Amino acid sequence: RDEALDILRGAAERQLAKDKKKTFSEFCEKAGYPLPFDKQVEMVQFGMGESVPRLLLGARGYGKTDYVVILGIAYDIYLDPINSTNLIMSKSKERNAAMLAEIAQALKLNGMVLDKENSTSIRVAGLAGKDHSVSAVTIRTVSLRGRHPKRIIMDDPVTEDDTSPATRAVVEKKYNELLKLSDNVLIIGQPAHKYDLYAKLRKLLKKMEVPHGTIPELDHDLEAQRLAGVDEKSIQASYFLRIVSEGATPFDNVKYLDKFPRGYSVAFIDPSHEGGDYTAMSVIRQHFEGVAVEGHVWKKAWNHCLDDIAPLLRKLGVRKLAFETNALGDMPIDILKATFKGVGVVGRRSVTNKHSTIMAAGTY
């Protein structure tokens, strides 16, 4: 009797273990992927848990394709193999084939049986209806008629390589076609042009944005990229999800104030040595949701500008002044402290790429 009970208990425990579904993290680990970070889990929940048109913009390297498209779809099929049908649209057949291969592998490693597996579709055992568990097409696919997937994902439909008006029109046309098949459309990528599909949908759709700095463990060394000559516009779009103005300067879209707001402020002086260059001073303070900045410049040495600078510091409420000491050392700091009573003066030595900093400030 006891032996029979042990056999029944063991069978019950095995069945219970079989019926119990893995968590997303457990599913990823079984599929051979690193455990996802919390923000990546949020991205998957946003991508898989909504059923309205939506936009997911994330910094390059944050695993949008791996964790949302590949593992997100695979996990959704694993949870509901009878009803989960998905359509992926990307730019190339090669990319589609690679994603489908990864989805199939994740499913099989988690115990799923596949009836069909090739470079354009995957179908799990027991699925009813003509739509596959997941299919993949390209932007250039001529017709999408007859498809009725539960979910559609556009993976990187626009990149830095194809921002021409003709390409942007094709992508927008395909997006409109997809909305006729299902309301559950997810668009994933990074902005590339101020008039691309992302820019248009950013104002209209429910969205999640995950810029550089959100997952520090995955952040690239952007300063190294800048020093290596990577274009600042590319960095701002790919990592900070911003499109730099295409005008003559990055400050084309800055709004102008009639006068500098009242209150305390801080200032920074970039000095000229012996008058061979310009001495520049920027004064800044918080202004509503942004900042107000006033700039002044003199074509003479920094120590010959003190009589010009002093009244401006009083007028603009400057309480702290930073002075760039790269070529001059700390000697000017003592002079400025003695000259500008009541203002905290500090020295700053800058070692980063000034041009990239200016471009980033213009975008901000």
Side-chain angles (χ1 to χ4, degrees), residues 108-251:
K108 289 187 287 188
L109 289 173
N110 280 280
M112 301 294 292
V113 178
L114 306 183
D115 279 348
K116 182 178 182 180
E117 175 191 352
N118 56 40
S119 62
T120 61
S121 60
I122 296 170
R123 191 178 187 89
V124 299
L127 177 66
K130 61 181 180 179
D131 285 303
H132 297 299
S133 300
V134 53
S135 300
V137 296
T138 68
I139 293 288
R140 298 292 177 178
T141 298
V142 176
S143 176
L144 295 170
R145 292 181 180 275
R147 300 174 185 267
H148 300 285
K150 170 188 170 184
R151 179 186 299 105
I152 301 172
I153 297 181
M154 296 185 78
D155 183 56
D156 276 336
V158 178
T159 65
E160 295 174 333
D161 302 325
D162 49 16
T163 56
S164 67
T167 304
R168 298 199 309 267
V170 169
V171 172
E172 187 168 340
K173 179 181 178 182
K174 286 301 178 184
Y175 169 71
N176 293 334
E177 287 185 35
L178 292 177
L179 281 180
K180 297 174 184 177
L181 306 181
S182 172
D183 290 332
N184 191 348
V185 178
L186 170 67
I187 304 95
I188 295 178
Q190 300 112 19
H193 189 276
K194 63 180 178 179
Y195 295 130
D196 64 21
L197 181 65
Y198 302 126
K200 177 180 179 180
L201 299 183
R202 231 169 170 172
K203 306 170 187 176
L204 304 174
L205 300 188
K206 184 172 186 177
K207 65 181 181 292
M208 179 179 183
E209 299 189 4
V210 191
H212 178 88
T214 309
I215 311 177
E217 297 86 347
L218 300 178
D219 282 339
H220 292 199
D221 185 347
L222 300 188
E223 198 55 42
Q225 290 193 20
R226 290 176 175 122
L227 293 173
V230 177
D231 183 61
E232 185 65 27
K233 291 182 180 180
S234 175
I235 290 175
Q236 290 294 324
S238 296
Y239 296 101
F240 295 102
L241 314 179
R242 302 167 179 159
I243 298 299
V244 175
S245 167
E246 293 186 341
T249 75
F251 296 91

Side-chain angles (χ1 to χ4, degrees), residues 344-362:
V345 180
V346 295
R348 287 287 182 267
R349 179 175 176 80
S350 64
V351 294
T352 56
N353 186 325
K354 287 184 186 178
H355 178 263
S356 67
T357 304
I358 291 169
M359 291 291 286

